[in-house]
Amino acid sequence: MSTSAWATHALQAFDNVVAAQAHLRPRAGQREMAAQVAHTFAHAHLGKPTEGEDSTPNTAVAPSIAVIQAGTGVGKSLAYSAPAIAMALQRGTRVVISTATVALQEQLVNKDLPALAAHLGQPFRYALAKGRGRFVCQLKLERLVGSSDLYPEEADDLFGETLPTKPVAQAERQAQQQFYASMAEALAQGRWDGDRDSLDTPPAPEAWSPVAAEGSSCTGRHCPAFQSCSYYERRKELVAAQVIVVNHDLLLSSLGARLLPELDNCLLVLDEAHHLPATALAQFANSMDLSRLQWLDKLTSRALRIGQLLEVEEIADIPQHSSGLRQAMGQLAQAAMAQYGETLKSPEARFGPASARIPRGVLPEALLPPLEAVLAHSTGLLDVLRAIAKALRSTIKETPDEAPRLAALYAQLGSLAPRLEAVFATTELLLHTPAPGQAPAAKWFTLEMDGEWIALQAHASPILPGSTLRQHLWSQVRGGVLTSATLTSCGSFDFFLREVGLHDLPTLATLEVASPFDYPSQGVLWAHHTQADPKHAGPFTQEMVHTLLHDLASVQTGALVLFTSKEQMRQAVDALPSALRSKVLVQNTMPRFALLNKHREQVEAGQASIIFGMQSFGEGLDLPGALCASLFITKLPFAPPDDPVGEARAEWLRSSGRNPFTDLVVPATAIRLAQWVGRAIRTEHDQAQVYCYDRRLCVTSYGQQIQKSLPDFSFQQRFAQLAHN
């Protein structure tokens, strides 16, 4: 079948789905997007590159990729899923849909794809893929509640490093034990499927981490609990699925693994694609702890004991590499504190641990010898561990009767191996010197202290997400669609295309599909001019809070207030008059789902309900109608000024003769603000008032550029002297 016939077939499938559902109205923008998706995937050359063919973006056989901005209300999930799935079925391939969050994954799997399957006319299977760490490890859970007899040898030692390293109060520890006991009981009785996200109350990361499954300590089918493993039960669904829904984190972390279909032989859709650059930076960043090295002693003793049992010759190198690594890491810690201790110990008020960044990524001479020693010894130790792991796997195959015991030994090594791998990866990136013209890595140290508990860590991260994505993702993709409601910035795709590494792809297609909403009649954007300059945080916040509280007094239904800092939100909460206190729900004072349920209940009961939230509430919240009839934005959402990766990137841009404010800060802020403003109008019947208290939106040239990224609301300005009349 020709490419045009494939595209026609896929678009016809979309048309049939729309026609088959009486509640769906044909939308020109949605069909335009579906047509672009069909065209893009029809022209994708799937499969491995032929001999002599290069799959990188600048070749004749470049990937077929489209970047589509689809405004709120377009119905983009149907616009991409119907033609993509119809195309995949026609071409005998599969579709991978990647979203930003697990919540969006579940919406697709539980709502959108079932509706599509009922009307597409061709049966297809779909499944949700989650990372191993979102499932419980039955062995860890049983050990923590004291019920495991699977590993009688050194049971106390098994998985010990997964326990929290920071001191935990006795009451909190008892609560955790009760939590683990209730999970174990629910799992044993079949009332829980082992998926973290299906628990009634989502656990805090520090409570979940000790029982989360990990690839490094998993022996798969050789594990005594394999037959009842929650993770492997879920993986069975992926094998037969023609549509697999993942999230960006899992997509990037699975590159090169066998969890997902090979990207050069499937169709890839990236929804909420504006998150992809930040996800890429986080995914390929590395860090290592220089102050707590007990894990190294445990790893050494386990490796020696297991290697001796299996008669692995390489274990003779373990004592030298282990003692050398411990000594080198201690020397690195001393050198870092000598170089940056004054900054790291300064009593400045800050959020999170103190940090000290290495300018231009150029390491001081004093750090080089210990880092080189760390790299050498971690490399040597990893080589020995690989030899032991190979011997274990071989012995498990040869003596299946011994598999449970040997699997326990494998898990004991594997539970600590990620620490060593992190040391190697962090050191390698810290020592990396870029070629002329290439960007350096961001490199920094952090120090956190809580009584006698001290954590000194070294960090390294790429600073250009586009380069990272080109190397790791786009080199594999043959057909892809990236979409979101916010991909243009200041009226152009240029910034986003640079961020994702697609700016020079010759075959790239871009499409902007406008929202069907009538923004001028549905919403008003009030740009408030404070007398205080927003750059002066103290007086600005005081004036902003005063004006905000005045405006909140008029709220009759649902409202959302978005703050740019915890201090801003704290001052607003402290200043709440008694008449407003019962109406305000503050982020982190209760679980997110409980807060949103209470907000919905209050609004449906005819009461005013006001949510105070920060950046995570500026995206992904769907509060239609009266749930968000008023939206208040306290300040333009610029990125935090003390982010080491952002600082390093700005430094590199300046050294390259570019302006980081106009090239990076403004366009990133424009996309973020567009997301925030997008909380206001969610359906074609919504009416909303949006208030922004940052006068820079109106009085600066960059503010006027940022306005180009916003919905076309009716625009009104008001000034401080008129605010309280």
Side-chain angles (χ1 to χ4, degrees):
M1 186 179 284
S2 67
T3 55
S4 60
W6 277 333
T8 300
H9 168 80
L11 186 57
Q12 185 61 55
F14 165 81
D15 288 337
N16 293 343
V17 169
V18 174
Q21 300 180 73
H23 69 281
L24 293 181
R25 297 197 313 274
R27 299 175 183 174
Q30 187 183 46
R31 192 175 192 276
E32 184 183 10
M33 177 177 174
Q36 180 63 67
V37 172
H39 176 84
T40 299
F41 286 144
H43 285 79
H45 296 271
L46 299 180
K48 300 290 182 188
T50 57
E51 188 176 349
E53 176 194 328
D54 183 0
S55 63
T56 54
N58 288 315
T59 63
V61 188
S64 180
I65 296 179
V67 173
I68 304 172
Q69 176 169 288
T72 307
V74 166
K76 66 180 186 300
S77 63
L78 179 60
Y80 64 66
S81 59
I85 294 169
M87 178 79 66
L89 295 174
Q90 190 72 25
R91 297 187 64 174
T93 188
R94 305 166 85 185
V95 180
V96 172
I97 302 174
S98 182
T99 72
T101 63
V102 170
L104 290 170
Q105 281 182 275
E106 292 179 335
Q107 178 184 314
L108 278 165
V109 169
N110 298 329
K111 179 183 175 185
D112 298 341
L113 291 178
L116 177 59
H119 298 95
L120 188 64
Q122 297 172 275
F124 66 91
R125 293 190 182 94
Y126 52 90
L128 187 155
K130 295 183 181 181
R132 192 188 301 257
R134 300 194 83 85
F135 294 90
V136 73
C137 172
Q138 186 177 332
L139 301 187
K140 291 181 180 180
L141 181 61
E142 289 178 341
R143 178 191 178 277
L144 284 175
V145 297
S147 61
S148 176
D149 59 357
L150 292 169
Y151 294 144
E153 296 181 9
E154 301 190 28
D156 289 342
D157 196 33
L158 184 63
F159 305 125
E161 274 303 303
T162 60
L163 292 170
T165 52
K166 194 171 182 178
V168 178
Q170 183 64 26
E172 186 177 345
R173 189 175 295 280
Q174 289 176 350
Q176 284 186 356
Q177 284 300 114
Q178 292 174 355
F179 171 64
Y180 297 140
S182 67
M183 278 202 302
E185 182 181 357
L187 189 66
Q189 295 178 357
R191 291 184 287 106
W192 178 47
D193 61 1
D195 183 342
R196 176 184 188 272
D197 301 303
S198 62
L199 288 168
D200 291 337
T201 303
E206 57 271 19
W208 177 255
S209 177
V211 296
E214 291 177 320
S216 59
S217 59
C218 178
T219 54
R221 65 181 182 276
H222 303 298
C223 173
F226 176 72
Q227 294 301 325
S228 57
C229 177
S230 305
Y231 171 68
Y232 279 101
E233 279 299 307
R234 181 65 62 88
R235 278 196 64 171
K236 291 177 185 176
E237 300 174 11
L238 303 183
V239 176
Q242 287 126 327
V243 182
I244 298 176
V245 182
V246 302
N247 60 54
H248 301 339
D249 277 309
L250 181 58
L251 175 72
L252 296 181
S253 65
S254 300
L255 294 175
R258 292 184 294 176
L259 174 64
L260 302 176
E262 294 183 345
L263 295 181
D264 56 16
N265 200 29
C266 71
L267 308 178
L268 175 65
V269 177
L270 293 149
D271 198 352
E272 299 297 314
H274 63 282
H275 284 284
L276 190 61
T279 304
L281 288 180
Q283 188 64 236
F284 296 102
N286 297 292
S287 64
M288 62 177 173
D289 195 327
L290 298 175
S291 52
R292 296 166 294 175
L293 303 180
Q294 298 90 337
W295 64 269
L296 182 55
D297 299 332
K298 283 190 175 183
L299 179 61
T300 300
S301 64
R302 292 180 190 183
L304 282 169
R305 176 173 48 81
I306 297 169
Q308 203 166 29
L309 179 69
L310 298 173
E311 299 180 348
V312 177
E313 293 180 1
E314 289 88 343
I315 65 170
D317 296 332
I318 289 178
Q320 171 207 346
H321 286 311
S322 176
S323 62
L325 181 57
R326 176 179 268 281
Q327 182 179 6
M329 292 180 76
Q331 290 171 346
L332 178 59
Q334 291 175 357
M337 290 305 294
Q339 191 81 31
Y340 304 110
E342 189 175 330
T343 300
L344 292 172
K345 291 181 177 179
S346 68
E348 266 184 46
R350 58 169 65 85
F351 174 67
S355 67
R357 187 177 62 84
I358 300 173
R360 303 177 305 285
V362 178
L363 296 170
E365 288 293 326
L367 298 185
L368 290 175
L371 276 170
E372 288 165 353
V374 169
L375 185 64
H377 289 300
S378 61
T379 301
L381 205 49
L382 279 171
D383 288 341
V384 177
L385 290 186
R386 292 189 187 104
I388 297 173
K390 182 179 179 181
L392 271 170
R393 288 192 296 268
S394 176
T395 310
I396 286 173
K397 289 179 182 177
E398 294 168 1
T399 56
D401 291 345
E402 290 290 302
R405 186 175 69 89
L406 295 171
L409 301 179
Y410 191 96
Q412 288 175 7
L413 270 186
S415 65
L416 295 172
R419 297 282 188 101
L420 182 59
E421 291 165 351
V423 168
F424 170 79
T426 307
T427 307
E428 189 176 46
L429 192 50
L430 283 169
L431 286 169
H432 175 70
T433 301
Q438 288 188 336
K443 305 171 185 180
W444 71 101
F445 293 92
T446 58
L447 180 66
E448 189 174 7
M449 294 183 286
D450 185 356
E452 295 183 358
W453 185 84
I454 297 174
L456 174 66
Q457 294 189 317
H459 307 261
S461 170
I463 64 173
L464 297 182
S467 297
T468 302
L469 288 167
R470 282 169 64 87
Q471 177 184 350
H472 296 283
L473 180 64
W474 305 130
S475 59
Q476 300 182 42
V477 173
R478 309 295 270 175
V481 168
L482 297 82
T483 186
S484 169
T486 52
L487 296 180
T488 60
S489 179
C490 306
S492 167
F493 281 105
D494 291 351
F495 174 71
F496 176 74
L497 296 181
R498 288 198 307 272
E499 288 292 279
V500 292
L502 293 173
H503 55 289
D504 59 354
L505 180 65
T507 55
L508 180 76
T510 59
L511 174 66
E512 187 173 355
V513 180
S515 169
F517 299 159
D518 183 4
Y519 284 118
S521 66
Q522 288 185 253
V524 180
L525 174 58
W526 292 93
H528 180 83
H529 294 244
T530 56
Q531 291 181 338
D533 189 332
K535 293 179 181 178
H536 302 146
F540 169 77
T541 300
Q542 186 176 8
E543 182 182 352
M544 179 275 294
V545 166
H546 179 77
T547 309
L548 171 67
L549 297 182
H550 176 271
D551 292 337
L552 291 180
S554 303
V555 169
Q556 300 296 314
T557 55
L560 173 63
V561 184
L562 294 172
F563 296 90
T564 58
S565 73
K566 285 189 172 182
E567 178 59 21
Q568 261 194 350
M569 189 162 73
R570 184 196 66 76
Q571 290 191 36
V573 170
D574 288 349
L576 283 171
S578 55
L580 281 176
R581 284 191 179 276
S582 62
K583 302 175 183 178
V584 173
L585 303 171
V586 182
Q587 181 180 357
N588 294 333
T589 57
M590 64 181 78
R592 178 176 171 135
F593 73 95
L595 184 148
L596 295 177
N597 284 341
K598 186 171 183 181
H599 177 71
R600 188 171 287 104
E601 290 169 2
Q602 292 183 170
V603 173
E604 289 175 352
Q607 303 168 10
S609 182
I610 303 164
I611 296 174
F612 277 15
M614 293 184 59
Q615 180 153 328
S616 62
F617 276 39
E619 296 192 33
L621 277 190
D622 191 21
L623 300 172
L627 294 177
C628 187
S630 302
L631 172 68
F632 302 88
I633 297 170
T634 57
K635 200 174 186 180
L636 292 179
F638 290 106
D642 55 353
D643 167 45
V645 177
E647 286 180 345
R649 188 171 178 185
E651 181 180 67
W652 180 72
L653 287 171
R654 279 191 293 269
S655 71
S656 305
R658 295 165 61 186
N659 184 329
F661 187 73
T662 57
D663 287 4
L664 176 63
V665 175
V666 170
T669 302
I671 288 180
R672 198 173 298 116
L673 183 64
Q675 276 289 326
W676 286 24
V677 172
R679 300 312 98 207
I681 302 292
R682 307 302 298 169
T683 76
E684 59 189 12
H685 304 296
D686 288 357
Q687 295 285 328
Q689 304 278 316
V690 180
Y691 300 81
C692 179
Y693 297 102
D694 196 323
R695 70 187 191 192
R696 292 174 294 185
L697 187 63
C698 301
V699 302
T700 63
S701 58
Y702 65 80
Q704 291 163 17
Q705 287 293 313
I706 288 174
Q707 286 184 41
K708 295 179 182 178
S709 300
L710 302 180
D712 189 23
F713 290 128
S714 296
F715 190 77
Q716 300 287 336
Q717 298 187 58
R718 62 178 193 176
F719 298 86
Q721 62 266 33
L722 303 177
H724 308 299
N725 289 350

